[in-house]
Amino acid sequence: MASMRPPLEILQQCMKETRCIRNVCILAHVDHGKTTIADSLLATNRLVSKRMAGQIRYLDDRLDEQERGITMKSSTVSLLNIVDDEDTNEEQPLLLNLIDTPGHIDFSTEVGAALRVCDGALIVVDLVEGVCVQTREAIKLAFTERCKMVLVLNKMDKLIVELHKDVNEIFQCVLRAIEDCNAIVAELYQYEYCDSEVDIEDTGLLFSPDVGNVIFASAIDGWGFTTKQISKIFIKTLKNESVESLNTKLWNFDAYVDSKTNTVKLGGIEKGKTNLFIQLCLKTIFHIYSTIVIQMQKDKVSLIAEKLNIVGTTREMNHTDSKIQLRAIMQAWSPLAEIIIHQCMKIISPPSNISDEKIKYLLDYNRFCENEFHRSCLDKLVTVFQSSDESGPCVAYVSKMFCVDKKNLSQNQPKTFVPKPRNRDQISEKKEVEKEQPKESTDEEKEESKVDEKDFSIIALARVFSGSLKTGQEIYVFSPQYAPDETSSGKGAQLVKIQELYMLFGRELVLVDTIAAGNVCGIGGLESSIVRTATLSTTLHCVPFIEHPSQPPIV
C-alpha cells in the first residue's frame, strides 16, 4: 500500500506557522484503542486506506508489536489537514504532530518521553473496562507535564452489540468513566495547588461534554461525536433552542424533552423523566446499531441516512454485510478523525500560546530562581519561548533516543530508475574495465559484511522550543548538572554539530534542512553525546530542562 502525504514544501510552510501546529499524544491503558484511533487519523493523509483504518495498526511497525497486538514503542507522525474554524468561518491548515504511546506498564517511560514534547493529550478510555491503572497513570503524567487533556470514550459499539446493554446502563458506564477521570484530576489538583484559592470547577481542567473536551466514539467503526454535534441535528426539531443552549442542557440531567410542546424543560429528576443526554445522544446511537446490526432492517437505512443529514449514498451503504453498512453511514455522518482534529484545534493550545506555568515547570524555575543571574536568564527564556522569532536563540529538548532501520530513512530510499538508450561502445568499454580490475580480497569482504550488520541508525526525538534547528549548526548539549554563569565557562556543556534533521512519518523519516520552533523532529548524529534525554541550546545562558519524573521499578 503506497503512502501518500502532502508535499514536503507545503508541510514545511505550515511548520513555520506556529499557530497552525498542535503537538498531541495518545494515552491509555493497554488495549483501549490508541493505535486504532491513530489509524483513523492517518487515513486523513492517506497513509492507510479508510477501509483498512482500525485493522492495519500502521504505527505498530515492529514485528513483535504486530504479533502480540500491543504497542511497545511510541511512534510519531506529522499530519496536515484543512479544518473549518467555527469562530472565523474560514478554512485553515492544521499540522498535527501525533505520538502514539504504549499502554502497557512495562513501557511507561515511553509515555513520559512523549508527553514532554507535547502540549496536549488524548486520554482514551474503554467504556467496557472503564478507568484502569494505566489510565490513572496517564492522567497523572499529563497533569504533571501541564498538558491539556481531551477524553475519548471508546468502544460504545461493544456495549450495544456484544454486551446488549440498554440506554440507561450505557449512560451509567459513560457517567462512571467521566466521574472517575474527574476524581483523579481533582485529587492531583488538590495535591499540586493546595494553597490555591481558585476552585477546580473554574480551572477548565475537569472533563465535561458541554465544554467539548469529551468525545464519544467507536474507533473500530471509525465514528465519534461531541454533544455539540448532536445539538446541531436536533436544533431543527426543538423549539426556542440555539446550538449553544441545547449543548449546555444536554449535560444537565434535570433537563428533558416535553413531547407535547416539543420544548426542553427543567424538572426531569423530580418528575422521573429520562434526561436529555439519554433521549438525544444515546438513543440515537442505540437506534442506529439495533436497526442495522442487530435487527438487520435494511429498508430503514435510507431513512437513518436522511435523519443524519447524509447527502448522497455510497456503495458501502447498500452492502450486504451490516457491519460495513453501519461503518459507512456512521463515518459519513461523523468521522472520528475529523472530530478529534477539530477538538484538538479548539482545546489544545498551539506552541505560540505556551503558558508561563508550563515554561517555568520545564525550566525548573523553582530550582534556579534564587540566583539573580539565573533568574534573569530564565525571564529572557520565558519571553523567547512565547515569541515565534526564528532569529532568537535555539533551545530544544531531546526526550528519548530510538533506533530506526536505515532503509526507512529518506536518503536511503530506492531511487526511481530511468532507463537510458543503449550504446554498444560504452557497454564493451565497461566490460574491459571490469576484466582489468582485480577481485577484492576476502579481508575486505569481511569488513564490508561487518558494516552491513549495523543496518540501523540512532535518532533523537526532539521538540524545538525556540529559534530554529539547521543542518550543520553547532549547538551545546547540557548535562543535568549544568548551570549558567556570568563568565560563560561552559562547564557541563558539550558543543556538537547537527548532522541530520528529519520529519517523522511513523516508520518513515524524511530528511529536511531546517526545523522551526514548536515542531517535533528527529535529529541524527547525537548518539555519542546523549544517552537518553538532554537539553540543546545555541546559548550558554540557558538552563537544562527538568528531568522526567522517575518511575518506581515494577519488580
Side-chain angles (χ1 to χ4, degrees):
M1 183 175 55
S3 300
M4 285 179 68
R5 57 171 180 266
L8 202 60
E9 300 78 34
I10 297 168
L11 280 165
Q12 285 182 303
Q13 199 177 329
C14 290
M15 284 167 74
K16 291 173 184 175
E17 292 284 332
T18 48
R19 62 184 178 82
C20 300
I21 301 166
R22 299 293 183 278
N23 297 315
V24 181
C25 61
I26 310 176
L27 313 177
H29 189 77
V30 67
D31 278 342
H32 278 208
K34 295 178 296 299
T35 310
T36 311
I37 287 171
D39 268 9
S40 297
L41 291 160
L42 290 164
T44 61
N45 278 213
R46 299 183 191 176
L47 289 165
V48 298
S49 71
K50 282 191 178 180
R51 194 176 294 173
M52 292 298 290
Q55 297 162 38
I56 201 164
R57 301 200 319 278
Y58 179 83
L59 292 178
D60 284 354
D61 53 341
R62 289 162 56 115
L63 184 64
D64 51 1
E65 287 181 322
Q66 287 288 347
E67 283 173 357
R68 295 188 192 184
I70 62 164
T71 307
M72 296 183 194
K73 295 283 175 189
S74 54
S75 304
T76 310
V77 66
S78 296
L79 305 167
L80 181 64
N81 290 282
I82 305 298
V83 184
D84 292 320
D85 193 347
E86 284 182 356
D87 301 326
T88 57
N89 290 324
E90 290 178 2
E91 289 185 340
Q92 71 170 60
L94 186 83
L95 181 65
L96 187 71
N97 293 320
L98 185 79
I99 305 178
D100 178 33
T101 64
H104 200 282
I105 192 164
D106 289 357
F107 317 112
S108 52
T109 50
E110 292 283 320
V111 179
L115 274 164
R116 175 52 58 90
V117 297
C118 290
D119 299 307
L122 294 173
I123 307 291
V124 184
V125 175
D126 178 352
L127 283 171
V128 177
E129 289 187 16
V131 174
C132 297
V133 182
Q134 282 305 103
T135 316
R136 177 180 282 274
E137 282 300 311
I139 293 170
K140 186 182 175 181
L141 282 167
F143 184 88
T144 308
E145 293 287 337
R146 274 66 170 174
C147 288
K148 268 277 188 187
M149 290 178 271
V150 175
L151 185 64
V152 181
L153 299 177
N154 192 21
K155 303 192 185 181
M156 281 191 80
D157 60 301
K158 212 172 179 181
L159 295 175
I160 304 165
V161 179
E162 291 183 26
L163 302 178
H164 306 290
K165 290 187 182 289
D166 61 30
V167 284
N168 291 308
E169 289 172 319
I170 296 167
F171 174 66
Q172 290 304 320
C173 290
V174 168
L175 198 60
R176 198 181 304 118
I178 295 172
E179 282 180 351
D180 286 353
C181 289
N182 281 338
I184 296 163
V185 173
E187 189 183 327
L188 292 164
Y189 181 80
Q190 198 175 352
Y191 280 121
E192 189 82 22
Y193 306 98
C194 51
D195 301 329
S196 177
E197 292 177 8
V198 182
D199 188 58
I200 191 166
E201 298 282 346
D202 305 322
T203 57
L205 292 169
L206 296 177
F207 299 110
S208 183
D210 55 333
V211 177
N213 60 3
V214 179
I215 298 168
F216 306 92
S218 166
I220 200 77
D221 288 339
W223 60 264
F225 69 86
T226 58
T227 49
K228 198 165 190 178
Q229 259 191 302
I230 297 290
S231 304
K232 286 174 184 175
I233 295 174
F234 289 98
I235 199 73
K236 295 168 187 174
T237 54
L238 296 168
K239 294 175 186 174
N240 310 322
E241 292 294 339
S242 65
V243 174
E244 279 70 26
S245 68
L246 186 57
N247 182 43
T248 309
K249 288 173 184 174
L250 270 168
W251 202 241
N252 180 352
F253 305 141
D254 199 34
Y256 71 99
V257 176
D258 186 3
S259 53
K260 291 177 183 175
T261 57
N262 214 24
T263 55
V264 178
K265 290 185 176 179
L266 297 174
I269 295 169
E270 197 180 319
K271 292 176 183 175
K273 300 279 186 182
T274 306
N275 68 55
L276 208 59
F277 183 76
I278 295 174
Q279 280 182 307
L280 304 187
C281 293
L282 298 182
K283 280 190 176 177
T284 302
I285 302 300
F286 187 85
H287 174 72
I288 294 165
Y289 267 91
S290 60
T291 306
I292 299 171
V293 179
I294 298 167
Q295 295 166 14
M296 295 187 182
Q297 296 179 6
K298 296 189 184 293
D299 53 322
K300 291 187 179 178
V301 169
S302 56
L303 184 67
I304 289 168
E306 190 185 318
K307 288 275 175 72
L308 293 172
N309 301 324
I310 297 167
V311 181
T313 56
T314 60
R315 191 175 63 187
E316 277 85 5
M317 287 181 195
N318 299 315
H319 203 279
T320 50
D321 188 341
S322 58
K323 284 288 283 180
I324 293 170
Q325 208 173 17
L326 177 121
R327 202 171 289 160
I329 288 167
M330 295 301 278
Q331 286 180 16
W333 167 57
S334 183
L336 177 59
E338 201 176 289
I339 296 298
I340 288 174
I341 289 164
H342 197 275
Q343 295 313 107
C344 284
M345 188 185 83
K346 188 179 163 189
I347 290 160
I348 295 164
S349 57
S352 55
N353 289 0
I354 188 167
S355 66
D356 277 8
E357 190 191 357
K358 175 150 183 157
I359 297 169
K360 286 179 178 179
Y361 163 73
L362 291 172
L363 296 173
D364 209 353
Y365 197 86
N366 294 337
R367 177 185 157 196
F368 291 102
C369 66
E370 289 176 10
N371 183 307
E372 268 188 50
F373 177 71
H374 290 170
R375 191 163 61 245
S376 67
C377 291
L378 288 166
D379 291 338
K380 283 175 189 172
L381 284 168
V382 170
T383 52
V384 164
F385 276 32
Q386 288 175 330
S387 69
S388 305
D389 185 17
E390 282 189 34
S391 59
C394 177
V395 179
Y397 181 78
V398 173
S399 74
K400 71 164 190 168
M401 307 294 284
F402 63 100
C403 293
V404 176
D405 197 324
K406 279 187 176 174
K407 69 173 184 285
N408 291 332
L409 303 175
S410 63
Q411 66 266 35
N412 301 331
Q413 293 289 325
K415 305 279 189 296
T416 50
F417 177 69
V418 181
K420 290 181 180 177
R422 279 188 151 193
N423 189 327
R424 286 186 179 181
D425 297 333
Q426 283 181 353
I427 293 165
S428 59
E429 279 175 24
K430 192 178 179 183
K431 281 181 180 177
E432 282 172 18
V433 170
E434 282 175 1
K435 282 176 186 176
E436 287 170 12
Q437 286 178 347
K439 285 187 177 181
E440 291 177 352
S441 63
T442 52
D443 292 335
E444 284 178 0
E445 282 174 9
K446 284 177 184 177
E447 278 178 23
E448 276 185 14
S449 64
K450 281 179 185 177
V451 171
D452 291 340
E453 279 173 19
K454 194 185 176 184
D455 55 354
F456 61 87
S457 290
I458 296 171
I459 306 293
L461 175 72
R463 154 92 181 263
V464 185
F465 283 89
S466 70
S468 62
L469 273 177
K470 294 181 179 71
T471 309
Q473 183 182 35
E474 288 195 330
I475 198 162
Y476 292 103
V477 176
F478 295 153
S479 69
Q481 291 77 35
Y482 173 78
D485 55 31
E486 292 177 52
T487 57
S488 299
S489 62
K491 190 183 178 183
Q494 182 189 350
L495 194 64
V496 296
K497 197 173 186 178
I498 302 290
Q499 291 178 15
E500 296 146 0
L501 287 172
Y502 296 98
M503 278 191 78
L504 306 165
F505 296 98
R507 61 190 76 173
E508 194 181 335
L509 279 76
V510 178
L511 203 65
V512 289
D513 296 327
T514 179
I515 300 283
N519 289 285
V520 176
C521 66
I523 307 172
L526 297 179
E527 62 267 27
S528 58
S529 310
I530 302 169
V531 178
R532 194 169 68 91
T533 64
T535 307
L536 309 177
S537 175
T538 52
T539 173
L540 286 167
H541 292 175
C542 178
V543 297
F545 279 38
I546 190 169
E547 284 293 286
H548 290 319
S550 58
Q551 293 289 328
I554 298 152
V555 179

